[in-house]
Amino acid sequence: MRSSNEKIVKDTVYLLSSSLIGRIFSGIAGIITARVLGPEDFGLLKIINYIPSLAKYGSFGFSDVAKREIPHIRGLKQSKEKEKIIRNVSFSSEILWFLFIAIIVVVASLFYESPKIKFGLYIVSISLLLSGLNKVYGVCLAIEKRFSILASATLFRSLVISVIILSTIYWGRIFSVLGAGLVGGAFTLIYFRKKINLDFSFSIS
């Protein structure tokens, strides 16, 4: 019981500290970004990020089903096959959802004449796919209660994005911010792949 309580406290400290440090770095990068870009380019950045932001609010929470049901199945000591079915369907559905949103973003880019917006939306569509995969890995880590890895990934991603923005914003402008998100997502995915095996087969039935 003591070791269990110690792990809970340790995981909580990891998650809170990584979130706090990440927010500090992100806040600094955000302030400098707003000052460097100015109203016009900062507004353009908001336009580019608007459509992808809908994925956050329009998500059906497919992977959250696995986060809720798999621990329940394990608690009842039910078959591994049932756990595998839930994992396969929920993770596959989550990935398909982000793929669908990414395609919508690419289609939306066709309605803009500005090259900045077009290329910006292309970058964001790839970032969306990466965020979908990272979300699935994050859920898998949460199921296995490996919160220290989640905390490390959150902090690592925030630091990578902030460093890239701060070192390139003066000449990269809006593409510095968009590129930072893309690189941060890619590095996070690589980190997750080294830390845990996703162990699922694509299936929606």
Side-chain angles (χ1 to χ4, degrees), residues 126-139 141 148-162 164 179-198:
I126 299 172
S127 297
L128 267 173
L129 285 175
L130 292 175
S131 66
L133 291 170
N134 286 331
K135 182 178 180 180
V136 169
Y137 270 102
V139 169
L141 286 164
S148 60
I149 297 177
L150 271 175
S152 299
T154 299
L155 179 58
F156 178 68
R157 182 177 182 277
S158 297
L159 290 177
V160 168
I161 290 175
S162 298
I164 292 175
L182 178 62
V183 174
F187 272 97
T188 303
L189 182 60
I190 293 170
Y191 178 74
F192 280 153
R193 283 176 59 86
K194 288 186 175 182
K195 292 296 181 179
I196 190 170
N197 179 20
L198 199 55

Side-chain angles (χ1 to χ4, degrees), residues 5-203:
N5 289 335
E6 287 178 352
K7 185 179 187 306
I8 292 173
V9 172
K10 190 176 180 180
D11 288 339
T12 302
V13 171
Y14 270 133
L15 290 169
L16 288 177
S17 59
S18 66
S19 177
L20 178 60
I21 296 171
R23 285 176 183 274
I24 291 172
F25 276 94
S26 297
I28 294 171
I31 292 171
I32 293 176
T33 296
R35 289 182 176 179
V36 172
L37 293 184
E40 183 177 347
D41 277 351
F42 193 72
L44 194 61
L45 183 63
K46 290 295 184 182
I47 291 174
I48 293 172
N49 281 326
Y50 174 72
I51 296 176
S53 69
L54 297 177
K56 184 188 301 181
Y57 302 105
S59 175
F60 294 102
F62 296 115
S63 58
D64 291 331
V65 174
K67 188 190 295 186
R68 182 183 66 249
E69 294 298 326
I70 290 178
H72 179 67
I73 290 171
R74 290 179 179 179
L76 296 176
K77 297 182 179 180
Q78 296 182 3
S79 68
K80 288 284 186 179
E81 188 61 31
K82 188 172 183 180
E83 176 183 329
K84 186 176 181 180
I85 291 172
I86 292 176
R87 186 188 297 265
N88 290 346
V89 173
S90 60
F91 287 177
S92 298
S93 300
E94 191 73 50
I95 292 171
L96 282 176
W97 167 251
F98 276 90
L99 177 61
F100 173 73
I101 295 297
I103 292 172
I104 292 295
V105 172
V106 172
V107 171
S109 70
L110 301 177
F111 294 92
Y112 290 95
E113 295 183 0
S114 169
K116 279 187 177 181
I117 297 180
K118 280 182 177 291
F119 287 117
L121 289 174
Y122 294 157
I123 294 172
V124 166
S125 66
I126 299 172
S127 297
L128 267 173
L129 285 175
L130 292 175
S131 66
L133 291 170
N134 286 331
K135 182 178 180 180
V136 169
Y137 270 102
V139 169
C140 192
L141 286 164
I143 291 171
E144 302 301 332
K145 302 187 186 304
R146 300 175 68 178
F147 297 107
S148 60
I149 297 177
L150 271 175
S152 299
T154 299
L155 179 58
F156 178 68
R157 182 177 182 277
S158 297
L159 290 177
V160 168
I161 290 175
S162 298
V163 168
I164 292 175
I165 290 175
L166 293 174
S167 60
T168 63
I169 188 64
Y170 291 96
W171 54 269
R173 311 296 290 180
I174 65 171
F175 294 108
S176 171
V177 181
L178 298 173
L182 178 62
V183 174
F187 272 97
T188 303
L189 182 60
I190 293 170
Y191 178 74
F192 280 153
R193 283 176 59 86
K194 288 186 175 182
K195 292 296 181 179
I196 190 170
N197 179 20
L198 199 55
D199 188 29
F200 93 104
S201 302
F202 191 85
S203 173

